[in-house]
Amino acid sequence: MPGKVKCIGILTGGGDCPGLNAVIRAVVKDAVQNGIQVIGIRDGCRGLGDKHMAALGPGDGSNILTLGGTILGSSNKDNPFHLIEKDKSGKIHYHDRSRDIPKNLRRVGIEAMVILGGDGSMTVANKLSHMGLKIIGVPKTIDNDLMGTDQTFGHDTAVSIATEAIDRLHTVADSHHRVIIVEIMGRYAGWLALRSGIAGGGDIILIPEIPYDEKKVGEAVLERRRKGKKSSIVVVAEGAHPKGGKMVVDRINPFSAERIRLGGISRQLAHHLEAKSGVETRSVILGHVVRGGTPTAFDRNLATLFGVQAMNLISKGQFGRMVALRNNRMSSVPLVQVGGKTRKVPANHELIRAAKSIGVSFGA
Ligand code: F6P
């Protein structure tokens, strides 16, 4: 049932993830059914400033359900409220370019916007909503660290990819009687490492929420050896850190609102573990591999539900909200409750308790 809105814009912001195109498809198909025009905004929030926008016809929603990435492009560097620009001398300046946005949207006839993104994009979405724009957020991230929703789309696919990688590393570790440390993305939350670690039969799982003791990790490996286990798989979240120690930073990106990129804990831990335990140890960083390719059936369904829920909110005129999955039902939460926060794994989460019950060590 069409609401009052006749033309909507859609953009995908932040790091890409599987399922973005499935949401775009759902929005386009639902809009077509209801006589609403959809305009795609290119390259995340950058497109709002560049006026880089083009109509999405019915055909643009076809054959993209299984496609990874985003047909619209994305960016995690272009916060319009805090745009970072370099002058000729290389000096960095910050500008607020948000004032131009309502005008840019009006020019192409966009009356409401669907913004797919993580916490950075939801923070921008909330600010745009406070400027009086009609905004609906859709929660995306492999990290599953967004407040307000029990799950984000993209997470299930990343868990599956990481699990398959861990499955494959078991045989290598076994053949060579080694320890293999697999490092998995997830920023400051351990959802990805925890879920793939358990699904992949990891022996030791290290997540940011449970700072580990290097000695205990070494002891867990040696204890397995004493029990006759030839190998051990350690699954480590990129944000994991030893007790009293710091997360390992791979790089600082001055052009991104989220400047820190984590990475490298597995290498440090491998050197330490090998030196202390005498067991040959290798490290593998899965990196962006877990963000690529075809979404799982679960993520395709969740993305479709989210896209349709976004259109429902538009037709009801309920703006300033993010669609959400809560207790297995489609719901929505005010955008103001989402941005700038991280949903971490609770220390007493049932997966942690189950893992401990089957002998998985968290190095603590
Ligand atoms: O938020 C998704 C994510 O893949 C994190 O898990 C990771 O820390 C970060 O993005 C990597 O960012 P980039 O793609 O900028 O390297």
Side-chain angles (χ1 to χ4, degrees):
M1 207 232 342
K4 290 188 193 106
V5 170
K6 289 282 173 227
C7 176
I8 62 169
I10 182 166
L11 74 79
T12 53
D16 74 342
C17 82
L20 285 163
N21 288 322
V23 179
I24 296 170
R25 169 182 180 266
V27 166
V28 169
K29 284 185 182 276
D30 189 300
V32 167
Q33 302 250 28
N34 290 299
I36 297 172
Q37 195 193 349
V38 183
I39 295 183
I41 297 158
R42 305 282 167 194
D43 300 328
C45 289
R46 191 185 312 160
L48 293 170
D50 284 356
K51 302 173 213 144
H52 202 163
M53 309 173 190
L56 295 177
D60 293 307
S62 296
N63 300 321
I64 60 170
L65 177 62
T66 59
L67 196 64
T70 161
I71 58 166
L72 293 174
S74 193
S75 163
N76 53 12
K77 301 189 204 56
D78 298 285
N79 178 348
F81 295 89
H82 199 69
L83 210 57
I84 302 157
E85 287 165 0
K86 240 188 207 173
D87 67 18
K88 280 184 194 142
S89 69
K91 212 171 145 210
I92 288 173
H93 300 271
Y94 298 91
H95 298 285
D96 182 348
R97 301 276 185 226
S98 60
R99 270 186 300 264
D100 300 336
I101 293 175
K103 189 178 64 203
N104 294 344
L105 296 179
R106 268 198 307 275
R107 192 182 56 87
V108 290
I110 293 175
E111 299 159 66
M113 264 205 302
V114 179
I115 297 182
L116 282 57
D119 71 336
S121 304
M122 291 308 128
T123 303
V124 170
N126 184 43
K127 286 186 175 172
L128 292 173
S129 175
H130 276 103
M131 286 170 61
L133 296 176
K134 294 176 173 172
I135 308 287
I136 301 293
V138 180
K140 160 247 64 155
T141 168
I142 59 164
D143 306 333
N144 202 35
D145 61 352
L146 258 187
M147 293 305 270
T149 185
D150 296 341
Q151 186 136 354
T152 53
F153 70 87
H155 178 64
D156 183 69
T157 309
V159 169
S160 298
I161 298 168
T163 301
E164 196 194 325
I166 297 167
D167 291 347
R168 288 171 188 276
L169 291 168
H170 273 290
T171 58
V172 181
D174 256 359
S175 310
H176 295 273
H177 300 203
R178 284 177 183 161
V179 173
I180 296 190
I181 305 181
V182 197
E183 178 175 326
I184 298 176
M185 281 185 168
R187 284 204 316 174
Y188 307 113
W191 295 105
L192 256 176
L194 179 65
R195 292 208 163 114
S196 56
I198 293 174
D203 306 301
I204 298 162
I205 300 175
L206 307 176
I207 58 174
E209 292 84 349
I210 307 178
Y212 60 86
D213 178 340
E214 285 165 333
K215 235 173 110 191
K216 292 211 168 131
V217 176
E219 278 164 14
V221 165
L222 292 175
E223 178 60 18
R224 284 179 54 74
R225 290 241 145 183
R226 279 194 290 274
K227 286 182 180 156
K229 310 275 184 187
K230 286 192 278 188
S231 64
S232 292
I233 296 288
V234 182
V235 179
V236 61
E238 63 179 359
H241 54 91
K243 276 182 192 153
K246 290 202 174 108
M247 295 184 187
V248 179
V249 174
D250 175 48
R251 62 175 65 208
I252 301 282
N253 185 344
F255 294 100
S256 177
E258 172 58 61
R259 296 169 74 238
I260 294 171
R261 292 294 180 276
L262 299 171
I265 182 66
S266 57
R267 268 191 221 113
Q268 280 193 9
L269 188 60
H271 290 307
H272 180 87
L273 208 60
E274 189 169 273
K276 294 280 174 196
S277 69
V279 182
E280 191 179 29
T281 304
R282 293 284 190 273
S283 63
V284 179
I285 300 179
L286 297 186
H288 295 84
V289 170
V290 299
R291 253 169 55 183
T294 302
T296 55
F298 178 91
D299 273 337
R300 293 179 208 181
N301 284 322
L302 186 59
T304 304
L305 286 166
F306 278 164
V308 169
Q309 173 74 343
M311 294 306 288
N312 285 342
L313 293 179
I314 289 173
S315 77
K316 289 184 195 150
Q318 290 178 4
F319 297 104
R321 303 186 72 78
M322 181 185 81
V323 305
L325 178 73
R326 289 169 86 94
N327 301 322
N328 268 329
R329 297 185 71 88
M330 276 302 105
S331 175
S332 69
V333 290
L335 277 168
V336 70
Q337 290 175 9
V338 182
K341 301 175 190 118
T342 304
R343 196 174 75 90
K344 298 197 170 207
V345 181
N348 66 344
H349 192 278
E350 60 183 356
L351 275 175
I352 294 180
R353 284 189 275 120
K356 284 182 179 167
S357 296
I358 60 166
V360 172
S361 165
F362 285 85

